[in-house]
Amino acid sequence: MPQSFDVAVIGAGPGGYVAAIRCAQLGLNTVCIDEWKSPQGKPSLGGTCLNVGCIPSKALLESSENFERAAHKFASHGIRVEGLSIDIPTMMSRKDKIVTGFTGGVAMLLKKNKVASMHGHGILLKGSKDESGNHNLWQIEVKNGDKTDTIEAKHIIIATGSTPRPLPFAQVDNERILDNTGALAMTEAPKRLGVIGGGVIGLEMGSMWRRLGSEVSILEALPGFLTAADEQVAKEAKKIFTRESGLVIHTGIRISGIKTGEKSITIEYANAGDADGNVQKLDVDKLIIAVGRTPHTHGLGAENIGLKLDDRGYIEVDSECRTNLSNIFAVGDVVRGPMLAHKASEEGVAVAETIAGQPGHVNLDTIPWVIYTSPEIAWVGKTEQQLKTDGVQYKAGQFPFMANGRARALGETGGFVKVLADAHTDRILGIHIIGPYASELIAEAVMAMEFAASSEDIARIVHAHPSLSEVLHEAALGVDKRAIHI
Ligand code: FAD
Ligand code: NAD
């Protein structure tokens, strides 16, 4: 007889492992199945986020930023650094230690919560049906090398995540042509680094390697830059990244070929604005491909049970993350919505609560976005361009970090906060930040929007002095043109 569970979770990324823990907290007998292996070939929980995503990238961004500060910013504080050098293998082993600390931590959390953990590849199989024709038990085959186990579960949560979108003419080998895994594991900074895709990964990885000494050229297909962000923020970001951070950013390009020679990789591209389609060439030593990610359903057995995918390969779900099949849910990168770890986790919690008969809920309209460049970029809610397209009348208040005491003390004065509020009701519709610690400041904005706050509400809240949060306060005051320090 196969082992039987209330809930089987496939995938132990931030969607899956969090869902499994919440299920167990709610008294459901739960198993979490995951196939990820560390570079040493050992099971490694935490999915993309912990192994090759959020955590290693932020560890390296921090190290590289410290190096940059020591090289260029300490002098103004009167701190002299002589003989500054960078030891990238040490930086990488620090990053690896942080990763293994967390991946091992997930294993401990599952154990502590009495979630059964199975290592292997999960394949969905038809289960048994009750008299009314509904499935009352689904089956999953778990393959680990030569070993195959079959388990049964009343409910399944699919949290199989995403994988890098391939570029047809660039074969990733993670030696010279890299995806995020390779980009996070180089042991020296290449002299010339190319990045295809000027999105979140391209900018974070490009910034990091530029700080460590690479000449970085980013090639972006869209004519605009960071089109998901508020236009004014994107414009400010491009200005800072190109003038101060030293990134070379080409937008509106069409790649026609990538040739891997013995000494360099040549990218052939044309500028979309060039009517003659003149081919330009860029020679680099290493190339990062970061052109988006695709939902991971390969080998899952969706076809075995009639699980519906949409035309882009995402598992189709409703607002409660229910698939077309009874008692099968899907969360995280494998379903619609932003591919963000916190979104995956919140969906995991909501689904666990729904299964336990509670009202699970995720508000996709207040998911914060953060890009960990320098300065950081963060936003929640609508951009100005979205409000204009939707014909919403709004008021805007804006305040620069340059006029903030804490930002001056930090020496991080670039950027601003912008608050967008409904012109009639004053309800906050969006908050956009480019500046120091935007990743932390955005939390107040999310909270305000979740509580349906008005700009007046933020304007009336006392913010500590001197703190970066005063910039948000002043931007809220600015909605009614009563900012004090400008
Ligand atoms: P994943 O984390 O991808 O986990 C899915 C798991 O399922 C994996 O372990 C996989 O091996 C396993 N799996 C798949 N199929 C099967 C199967 N059939 N059987 C068994 N196991 C299976 N997001 C942020 O919010 N903040 C960030 O700073 C951030 N930085 C990022 C940096 C990089 C370089 C990258 C690539 C991504 C980053 N992200 C970030 C995105 C974030 O990593 C994802 O949104 C998040 O990991 C999605 O979680 P998930 O649980 O849906 O899937
Ligand atoms: P992305 O969607 O952010 O950016 C991909 C970029 O590549 C886009 O700007 C797109 O126009 C461009 N592009 C696509 N095809 C191209 C081509 N042929 N030539 C040139 N440019 C091309 O995707 P990403 O940067 O790969 O990251 C994937 C996802 O991972 C992100 O959307 C995000 O959800 C997540 N992520 C989040 C964080 C964070 O939260 N800080 C960090 C990294 C990744």
Side-chain angles (χ1 to χ4, degrees):
M1 276 285 284
Q3 214 183 341
S4 192
F5 295 90
D6 294 325
V7 184
V9 182
I10 310 181
Y17 84 77
V18 170
I21 290 174
R22 187 72 189 117
C23 285
Q25 284 177 344
L26 291 163
L28 298 160
N29 177 23
T30 306
V31 61
C32 188
I33 303 156
D34 191 87
E35 65 180 343
W36 199 289
K37 279 193 171 80
S38 69
Q40 293 73 34
K42 296 210 172 110
S44 185
L45 302 175
T48 303
C49 172
L50 296 196
N51 288 288
V52 292
C54 325
I55 298 301
S57 61
K58 267 78 247 180
L60 295 178
L61 277 158
E62 191 62 33
S63 298
S64 68
E65 200 158 349
N66 281 338
F67 182 55
E68 177 94 345
R69 282 193 193 111
H72 301 293
K73 297 190 175 165
F74 279 9
S76 68
H77 294 264
I79 303 171
R80 274 197 300 276
V81 182
E82 276 156 31
L84 181 71
S85 67
I86 183 85
D87 173 358
I88 294 177
T90 299
M91 183 187 291
M92 288 292 162
S93 48
R94 174 184 180 271
K95 175 259 306 180
D96 292 340
K97 217 167 144 198
I98 293 172
V99 168
T100 49
F102 277 118
T103 54
V106 172
M108 267 164 45
L109 285 175
L110 292 183
K111 201 168 165 198
K112 182 181 145 210
N113 284 281
K114 302 195 171 45
V115 174
S117 189
M118 288 180 85
H119 179 74
H121 180 81
I123 302 166
L124 299 162
L125 298 178
K126 280 212 166 92
S128 50
K129 288 184 181 181
D130 61 19
E131 294 102 43
S132 51
N134 289 324
H135 275 276
N136 54 7
L137 280 178
W138 291 101
Q139 285 199 344
I140 300 173
E141 200 173 74
V142 184
K143 281 186 186 285
N144 181 11
D146 299 338
K147 198 169 148 252
T148 301
D149 285 316
T150 302
I151 58 137
E152 285 181 339
K154 285 187 204 140
H155 302 89
I156 294 178
I157 304 175
I158 303 170
T160 49
S162 62
T163 50
R165 188 164 81 79
L167 203 57
F169 33 78
Q171 191 63 46
V172 168
D173 57 11
N174 275 332
E175 290 290 332
R176 298 175 73 196
I177 302 190
L178 321 163
D179 59 18
N180 54 296
T181 301
L184 290 165
M186 283 192 272
T187 48
E188 59 183 343
K191 186 168 179 322
R192 301 162 302 172
L193 176 65
V195 181
I196 302 188
V200 195
I201 295 181
L203 288 171
E204 289 187 353
M205 293 298 91
S207 304
M208 178 200 126
W209 286 109
R210 213 286 307 139
R211 290 176 202 146
L212 297 177
S214 300
E215 293 159 18
V216 177
S217 304
I218 298 181
L219 301 171
E220 164 59 43
L222 291 177
F225 176 67
L226 263 189
T227 48
D230 184 87
E231 261 171 23
Q232 204 183 344
V233 168
K235 204 169 149 207
E236 179 78 0
K238 193 170 180 197
K239 193 174 83 192
I240 298 176
F241 296 162
T242 50
R243 286 194 204 156
E244 293 170 29
S245 309
L247 295 175
V248 177
I249 302 172
H250 301 278
T251 53
I253 58 93
R254 211 181 49 251
I255 308 229
S256 49
I258 293 175
K259 297 199 172 113
T260 314
E262 221 169 87
K263 290 219 169 107
S264 56
I265 303 161
T266 305
I267 306 147
E268 295 175 344
Y269 65 96
N271 287 316
D274 179 355
D276 299 333
N278 291 318
V279 173
Q280 319 251 9
K281 288 186 179 175
L282 175 71
D283 288 332
V284 295
D285 303 306
K286 301 240 181 186
L287 177 63
I288 298 175
I289 311 288
V291 293
R293 295 179 63 85
T294 51
H296 184 186
T297 54
H298 180 74
L300 178 65
E303 62 293 346
N304 295 341
I305 59 169
L307 180 69
K308 220 165 148 191
L309 310 186
D310 71 14
D311 50 8
R312 293 186 304 153
Y314 290 89
I315 297 177
E316 260 189 29
V317 287
D318 65 9
S319 59
E320 289 186 311
C321 294
R322 291 178 192 278
T323 68
N324 64 312
L325 299 169
S326 63
N327 297 338
I328 301 192
F329 298 77
V331 301
D333 281 10
V334 79
V335 304
R336 84 286 175 265
M339 286 185 167
L340 296 172
H342 40 284
K343 177 260 190 186
S345 296
E346 290 309 317
E347 284 181 339
V349 168
V351 164
E353 292 175 353
T354 303
I355 291 173
Q358 297 183 2
H361 173 70
V362 179
N363 183 359
L364 289 180
D365 293 334
T366 52
I367 306 269
W369 272 89
V370 180
I371 307 178
Y372 294 82
T373 41
S374 178
E376 293 182 349
I377 296 169
W379 73 89
V380 57
K382 302 275 187 195
T383 60
E384 262 195 82
Q385 61 267 27
Q386 281 169 334
L387 293 176
K388 281 180 189 150
T389 309
D390 297 347
V392 177
Q393 290 188 312
Y394 64 92
K395 301 177 286 182
Q398 192 173 317
F399 195 81
F401 282 95
M402 180 58 99
N404 174 265
R406 187 75 201 284
R408 290 261 187 116
L410 283 171
E412 304 287 347
T413 50
F416 56 83
V417 175
K418 180 160 77 176
V419 174
L420 302 172
D422 187 284
H424 305 292
T425 65
D426 193 34
R427 184 175 174 157
I428 296 170
L429 304 171
I431 295 188
H432 302 271
I433 308 176
I434 173 165
Y437 297 104
S439 54
E440 303 296 331
L441 296 174
I442 200 66
E444 181 181 355
V446 177
M447 174 102 85
M449 286 193 67
E450 269 295 321
F451 288 168
S454 60
S455 75
E456 179 75 17
D457 287 327
I458 296 190
R460 282 174 182 271
I461 290 171
V462 182
H463 289 73
H465 175 76
S467 74
L468 297 170
S469 70
E470 288 173 293
V471 181
L472 176 54
H473 185 219
E474 291 268 16
L477 285 164
V479 171
D480 268 340
K481 313 234 173 312
R482 56 194 172 101
I484 302 289
H485 294 94
I486 197 158

